[in-house]
């Protein structure tokens, strides 16, 4: 038999348990789903048994050994518990489907003889796995290794069990050992699938000998360096950065797991010039004969690449059939990365007029104390005032009882003054009508209006901004427009950076509507693109991105960092997806110390400096 697999001694955690569920069942055999008197549901098949408790938690067994346990909630004191704000769900069985629901949160399992489907929306999703049953994982694009304390692998595509079976899955999963063996979605390494996020995974159970090839793009040390990226205090782990654009070497490994056969496979390498989309700037092909039980490693040297982000894809085929497709991000000479701005000719005039029109309008503030929400240290008020467009906006204002000057923020909780309002349309950035009517612009102007109000209060001496994901571009542009009294900005995985790029198109959260041309979209996005505001960003800041993040692509985030003239700035560049990394948490601690003695970045004379 001709089978290629690259096995990595890791925990096949996420899917492991689930896949095992259907491990040995034949396609012709039924899966028996039974609702029990205690409210739980039992699932039985030839190769597995499963129980979903009355609380909606899954326990999966293979050969009477537990493989996977959990689903949602928290692993506390070696047992599953619901988070305090999670109402007890209902558990119902409909044929082969078991649904766990609580309000708008749900997990649905679909059981079949050789597959298990999982679909969840709104719940935090986390499983623990049995490391005695899950022996290894397949990890395209990354090296593998044995499971152990503080080891984890993102983007795994399959796992191997100790009985010679393989579980492959349709959605990459993160398997790791962080205090406990756990499985979580790759893009949510903190285990959180927040409301509105939909996750679908199909687990397929088959013999390990038919595993698809796991070719791996593994970046060699030649040409790689992190020194230039961390010399000023920035941090990060996992980003593949080449300091010298003309010293780039890749390799792909492929193993033949057959005991008797030797076969010839063909590799193809493609390098694209913009993250995971873009034009192919380099292609190469090679063939290799791999003897049974051996591994072949193919090396490539790539011609010089200009500074920026690239996406390398390696495929391995056998007899015309694709065995594996592996993709990885390459970062080239980032300290020299300076893409051209897309500012329209009237960019500065546009924003000066917007701010002037807004500031001519009185706030007309109305405060009503909410005595039942106050504390011994703070008063809480319901606040209403006029927005930039004259509409009324309401929210809450928390003010310390202690008299004097205080640090103030917008939506960021701390011991000072906090103004909390809701973003229009929940900051979805999906409304794009024209340059004067789009959701991102509306959110930016509201943020700037709130900061102007806080600046006007006699008890405010400094401002601080913080935001993640969709909050990132809002706070970035608001701070760049007017840094007066702003002492610091903390954002991570911000969306929309680079949204107006024409030659290397933005594909992330808040991108081009399907019914709009790229020309229409970029012409209005150019006014709100955070990269176009980077030359005005003088406020001290910290930022972070994951190289595999497709909600907040890293090219624009890195460009804004390099283009900003801020005298104090830090970045956490990490491998992984849309999450808050240990590197960023480290920067937060450093930033907190810096802010104890920092002074505001500047005043109105810095607004909209020409670039």
């Amino acid at each position: 038999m001709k089978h290629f697999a690259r096995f990595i001694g890791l925990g096949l955690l996420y899917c492991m348990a689930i896949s095992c569920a259907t491990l040995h069942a034949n396609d012709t055999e039924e899966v028996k789903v039974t609702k029990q008197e205690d409210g739980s549901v039992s699932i039985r098949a030839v190769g597995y048994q499963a129980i979903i408790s009355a609380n909606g938690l899954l326990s999966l067994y293979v050969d009477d050994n537990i493989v996977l346990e959990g689903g949602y909630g928290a692993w506390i004191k070696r047992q599953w518990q619901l988070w305090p704000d999670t109402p007890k769900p209902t558990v119902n069985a409909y044929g082969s489907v078991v649904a766990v629901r609580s309000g708008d949160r749900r997990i649905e399992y679909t059981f079949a003889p050789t597959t298990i489907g999982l679909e969840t929306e709104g719940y935090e999703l986390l499983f623990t796995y049995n490391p005695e049953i899950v022996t290894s994982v397949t990890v395209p694009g990354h090296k593998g290794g044995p499971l152990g304390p503080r080891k984890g692998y993102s983007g795994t595509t399959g796992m191997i069990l100790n009985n010679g079976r393989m579980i492959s899955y349709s959605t990459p999963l993160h398997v790791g050992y962080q205090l406990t063996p756990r499985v979580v979605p790759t893009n949510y390494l903190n285990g959180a699938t927040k409301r509105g996020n939909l996750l679908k995974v199909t687990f397929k159970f088959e013999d390990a000998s038919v595993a698809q090839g796991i070719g791996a793009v593994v970046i060699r040390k030649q040409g790689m360096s992190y020194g230039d990226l961390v010399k000023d205090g920035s941090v990060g782990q996992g980003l593949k950065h080449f300091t010298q654009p003309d010293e780039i070497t890749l390799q792909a490994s492929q193993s033949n797991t057959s005991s008797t056969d030797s076969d010839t496979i063909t590799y193809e390498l493609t390098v694209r010039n913009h993250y995971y989309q873009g034009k192919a700037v380099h292609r190469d092909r090679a063939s290799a004969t791999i003897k049974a039980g051996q591994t072949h490693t193919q090396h490539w040297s790539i011609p010089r690449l200009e500074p920026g982000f690239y996406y390398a894809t390696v495929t391995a085929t056998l007899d015309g059939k694709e065995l594996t497709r592996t993709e990885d991000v390459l970062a080239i000479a980032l300290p020299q990365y300076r893409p051209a701005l897309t500012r329209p000719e009237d960019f500065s005039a546009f924003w000066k007029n917007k701010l002037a029109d807004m500031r001519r309008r009185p706030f007309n503030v109305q405060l009503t104390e909410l005595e039942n929400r106050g504390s011994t240290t703070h008063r809480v008020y319901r606040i209403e005032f006029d927005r930039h467009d004259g509409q009324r906006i309401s929210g809450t204002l928390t003010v310390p009882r202690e008299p004097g000057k205080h640090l103030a923020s917008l939506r960021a909780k701390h011991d000072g003054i906090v103004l909390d309002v809701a973003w229009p349309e929940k900051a979805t950035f999906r409304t794009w009508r024209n340059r004067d009517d789009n959701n991102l612009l509306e959110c930016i102007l509201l943020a700037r209006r709130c900061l102007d109000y806080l600046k006007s209060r006699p008890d405010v001496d400094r401002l601080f901004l913080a935001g993640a994901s969709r909050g990132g571009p809002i706070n970035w542009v608001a701070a760049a427009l007017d840094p007066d009294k702003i002492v610091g900005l903390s954002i991570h995985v911000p969306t929309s950076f680079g949204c107006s790029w024409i030659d290397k198109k933005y594909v992330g959260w808040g991108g081009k509507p399907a019914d709009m041309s790229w020309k229409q979209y970029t012409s209005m996005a150019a006014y709100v693109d955070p990269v176009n505001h980077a030359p005005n960003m003088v406020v001290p800041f910290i930022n972070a991105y994951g190289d595999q993040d497709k909600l907040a692509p890293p090219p624009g985030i890195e460009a804004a960092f390099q283009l900003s003239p801020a005298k104090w700035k830090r970045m956490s560049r990490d491998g992984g997806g849309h999450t808050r990394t240990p590197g960023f948490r480290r920067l937060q601690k450093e930033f907190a110390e810096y802010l104890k003695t920092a002074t505001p970045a500047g005043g109105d004379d810095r607004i909209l400096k020409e670039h």
Side-chain angles (χ1 to χ4, degrees):
M1 296 180 65
K2 304 176 181 180
H3 306 304
F4 290 87
R6 185 169 185 266
F7 302 113
I8 300 165
L10 197 49
L12 332 169
L13 32 72
Y14 199 46
C15 324
M16 9 183 224
I18 282 194
S19 349
C20 304
T22 13
L23 219 25
H24 294 292
N26 297 319
D27 288 338
T28 58
E29 295 171 334
E30 294 182 355
V31 175
K32 186 176 181 180
V33 179
T34 307
K35 186 72 177 283
Q36 306 295 326
E37 293 183 359
D38 63 357
S40 65
V41 178
S42 65
I43 302 93
R44 291 185 174 275
V46 172
Y48 73 91
Q49 305 84 41
I51 297 175
I52 297 180
S53 72
N55 285 333
L57 300 175
L58 172 71
S59 298
L60 186 67
Y61 297 82
V62 175
D63 297 334
D64 297 324
N65 294 312
I66 190 164
V67 178
L68 190 69
E69 184 178 21
Y72 68 95
W75 179 254
I76 302 174
K77 296 181 179 179
R78 296 187 178 275
Q79 63 179 344
W80 283 100
Q81 299 180 15
L82 295 176
W83 288 109
D85 64 342
T86 304
K88 180 178 178 180
T90 59
V91 179
N92 292 288
Y94 310 92
S96 61
V97 176
V98 179
V100 179
R101 294 178 180 273
S102 177
D104 59 355
R105 301 179 178 182
R106 65 184 177 89
I107 299 179
E108 293 182 1
Y109 300 95
T110 302
F111 297 95
T114 59
T115 62
I116 294 180
L118 180 153
E119 181 174 312
T120 181
E121 185 173 17
Y123 271 123
E124 301 210 354
L125 193 63
L126 173 67
F127 293 95
T128 60
Y129 68 93
N130 185 347
E132 295 181 0
I133 302 297
V134 178
T135 60
S136 58
V137 291
T138 57
V139 188
H142 299 274
K143 288 184 177 180
L147 286 173
R150 307 220 172 258
K151 286 191 176 182
Y153 296 81
S154 298
T156 68
T157 57
M159 50 199 157
I160 311 300
L161 306 183
N162 65 356
N163 60 358
R165 304 294 296 178
M166 178 180 180
I167 302 169
S168 60
Y169 27 98
S170 59
T171 299
L173 300 171
H174 175 83
V175 177
Y177 203 118
Q178 300 288 334
L179 301 180
T180 60
R182 66 175 188 166
V183 184
V184 297
T186 292
N187 283 345
Y188 291 88
L189 297 187
N190 60 351
T193 305
K194 304 192 172 48
R195 293 196 183 197
N197 293 134
L198 179 66
L199 175 69
K200 295 182 179 180
V201 184
T202 298
F203 303 99
K204 183 178 181 181
F205 313 102
E206 50 193 340
D207 192 277
S209 65
V210 302
Q212 294 277 299
I214 309 299
V217 178
V218 180
I219 310 306
R220 295 182 63 198
K221 292 183 179 179
Q222 180 181 350
M224 285 186 60
S225 172
Y226 226 71
D228 287 351
L229 299 181
V230 300
K231 64 181 180 181
D232 294 324
S234 294
V235 298
Q237 183 175 3
L239 179 71
K240 298 168 182 63
H241 180 247
F242 290 86
T243 304
Q244 301 300 323
D246 53 358
E247 296 182 9
I248 304 168
T249 302
L250 308 184
Q251 70 182 38
S253 300
Q254 190 77 54
S255 298
N256 186 347
T257 61
S258 171
S259 60
T260 59
D261 298 332
S262 296
D263 286 293
T264 300
I265 63 172
T266 300
Y267 294 105
E268 291 190 5
L269 166 69
T270 303
V271 179
R272 299 187 180 279
N273 69 347
H274 178 52
Y275 192 40
Y276 64 96
Q277 295 200 357
K279 299 177 181 178
V281 295
H282 179 71
R283 297 182 187 273
D284 204 350
R285 172 180 286 201
S287 297
T289 299
I290 309 178
K291 296 181 180 180
Q294 294 188 0
T295 297
H296 170 76
T297 299
Q298 179 65 40
H299 300 268
W300 283 282
S301 293
I302 299 177
R304 178 182 175 85
L305 298 173
E306 294 301 315
F309 288 82
Y310 296 80
Y311 215 59
T313 302
V314 175
T315 60
T317 59
L318 173 64
D319 297 333
K321 178 183 178 181
E322 185 176 298
L323 298 176
T324 181
R325 175 178 293 268
T326 300
E327 299 173 325
D328 214 346
V329 175
L330 311 179
I332 311 297
L334 294 185
Q336 288 76 53
Y337 183 44
R338 301 286 195 285
L341 298 179
T342 60
R343 285 183 172 185
E345 292 184 0
D346 64 342
F347 180 84
S348 294
F350 172 87
W351 280 106
K352 287 180 179 178
N353 290 335
K354 289 293 183 186
L355 294 179
D357 290 345
M358 178 179 68
R359 287 168 172 168
R360 280 193 290 267
R361 187 181 301 277
F363 291 109
N364 295 322
V365 176
Q366 180 177 347
L367 291 173
T368 304
E369 185 171 1
L370 304 175
E371 297 182 0
N372 60 331
R373 296 183 57 179
S375 67
T376 57
T377 59
H378 289 76
R379 300 180 187 275
V380 178
Y381 299 88
R382 173 182 171 81
I383 183 172
E384 294 184 17
F385 58 94
D386 289 347
R387 298 190 339 165
H388 56 280
D389 55 4
Q391 297 183 44
R392 295 290 282 177
I393 182 92
S394 63
T396 59
L397 181 70
T398 303
V399 180
R401 292 181 183 273
E402 182 180 351
K405 300 280 189 177
H406 301 282
L407 177 71
S409 70
L410 174 60
R411 294 170 60 100
K413 305 300 187 220
H414 60 93
D415 291 335
I417 297 174
V418 179
L419 175 58
D420 195 346
V421 297
W423 297 126
E425 299 180 24
K426 298 182 179 179
T428 59
F429 308 157
R430 290 174 179 163
T431 297
W432 294 92
R433 296 187 180 92
N434 54 63
R435 71 168 194 173
D436 297 296
D437 187 2
N438 60 78
N439 182 232
L440 181 50
L441 173 66
E442 185 181 18
C443 290
I444 292 169
L445 289 174
L446 176 58
R448 192 57 259 173
R449 181 69 164 173
C450 291
L451 293 174
D452 282 357
Y453 165 69
L454 290 173
K455 281 174 53 178
S456 71
R457 290 181 59 91
D459 54 355
V460 171
D461 62 348
R462 297 183 303 162
L463 300 170
F464 175 75
L465 295 177
S469 192
R470 290 170 288 167
I474 298 171
N475 287 286
W476 175 277
V477 176
L481 287 172
D482 181 359
D484 186 36
K485 286 194 175 183
I486 302 179
V487 71
L489 168 69
S490 172
I491 60 175
H492 64 284
V493 294
T495 69
S496 307
F497 279 60
C499 62
S500 67
W501 289 357
I502 299 172
D503 57 334
K504 297 180 178 180
K505 296 179 174 60
Y506 173 85
V507 181
W509 185 275
K512 182 186 78 67
D515 60 350
M516 182 176 293
S517 70
W518 278 104
K519 183 178 181 180
Q520 289 176 303
Y521 171 71
T522 56
S523 65
M524 66 181 81
Y527 293 92
V528 292
D529 187 341
V531 176
N532 283 341
H533 291 265
N536 304 105
M537 177 52 72
V538 296
V539 172
F541 70 89
I542 58 174
N543 201 348
Y545 61 76
D547 68 348
Q548 299 286 344
D549 193 340
K550 294 183 180 180
L551 293 176
I557 303 173
E558 181 68 43
F561 178 86
Q562 298 297 342
L563 291 168
S564 166
K567 295 181 180 180
W568 196 103
K569 59 183 179 180
R570 303 287 188 269
M571 179 76 82
S572 182
R573 304 169 175 91
D574 302 283
H578 198 68
T579 188
R580 187 165 68 103
T581 64
F584 182 72
R585 289 193 288 268
R586 173 180 158 186
L587 289 184
Q588 286 180 304
K589 293 180 181 179
E590 181 184 355
F591 203 25
E593 291 299 315
Y594 170 82
L595 293 176
K596 290 179 180 179
T597 58
T599 57
D604 292 336
D605 61 319
R606 296 178 181 266
I607 296 178
L608 293 172
K609 177 184 65 178
E610 294 293 346
H611 178 69

